[in-house]
Amino acid sequence: MRFTFLFVCLIIAVVIQTALRAIGINFPLLPILIFYAAYVYGPLFGFGLVLPAAFLLDFNGGWSHPWSIIGFLLAAAFAIFWLYRIESDSLIFLAVPGFLLPVIGDLPQNIIAGDFSFSGILESCADALANGILGAVTFPFWIIVLDFFSKKLGLCTYGEAKERVKKEKI
């Protein structure tokens, strides 16, 4: 059931992100989904989403190489770090990964696509900052939405993942 849920979420996120890019909005939803999958369902599911997400997004966007793999791997690794190292259950504290995920998930591919030119790097950093601020505001909303559907399907949720890790440490 987890695989089906994540596959459907992956397709929806790719369609939304591709549609947003087509109208000029470059908000990365896939790093958020990869973070959620790695955090809630474990590294296997998080890292397992990286390749299909990168291929679907980049090839639908017209890129010849899946440069998104770099940022998506960083997002999955950040989720594992966040799960095992950060001790906070506050919904407001979710603004931190909400800010960092668009930056680490999208900045590497934008810099590579900009051919490492000064103006390309500057534009990519400005885009990452704007997406980070938007991500900090919307990330708790995305967690609530994904948890809602996970709960309805009888799957593990974001809060239960932290409890599971705490029980493993004891």
Side-chain angles (χ1 to χ4, degrees), residues 10-165:
L10 173 68
I11 298 301
I12 292 170
V14 166
V15 168
I16 291 172
Q17 190 166 338
T18 304
L20 287 174
R21 280 187 179 181
I23 61 171
I25 300 170
N26 187 21
F27 183 70
L29 291 174
L30 287 169
I32 293 171
L33 179 63
I34 290 168
F35 177 90
Y36 184 83
Y39 188 95
V40 175
Y41 303 119
L44 181 64
F45 283 94
F47 286 106
L49 276 180
V50 168
L51 277 177
F55 284 129
L56 286 170
L57 179 66
D58 291 342
F59 295 148
N60 279 329
W63 291 20
S64 58
H65 300 288
W67 297 121
S68 298
I69 288 175
I70 299 165
F72 293 170
L73 285 172
L74 290 172
F78 178 63
I80 303 307
F81 168 78
W82 192 261
L83 178 63
Y84 286 100
R85 299 288 181 219
I86 305 300
E87 294 295 328
S88 176
D89 297 329
S90 170
L91 194 61
I92 288 294
F93 199 57
L94 287 177
V96 174
F99 178 80
L100 292 176
L101 280 172
V103 173
I104 65 174
D106 209 31
L107 185 61
Q109 75 175 6
N110 288 341
I111 289 176
I112 292 169
D115 297 327
F116 297 103
S117 67
F118 179 74
S119 64
I121 292 172
L122 189 62
E123 187 177 311
S124 296
C125 289
D127 190 33
L129 180 64
N131 284 337
I133 293 169
L134 182 62
V137 172
T138 62
F139 186 71
F141 166 76
W142 291 114
I143 295 297
I144 290 169
V145 168
L146 289 169
D147 271 356
F148 173 78
F149 289 112
S150 289
K151 189 87 163 168
K152 291 292 183 186
L153 294 170
L155 300 172
C156 187
T157 62
Y158 190 87
E160 293 169 355
K162 185 64 91 174
E163 295 299 320
R164 184 182 70 235
V165 169

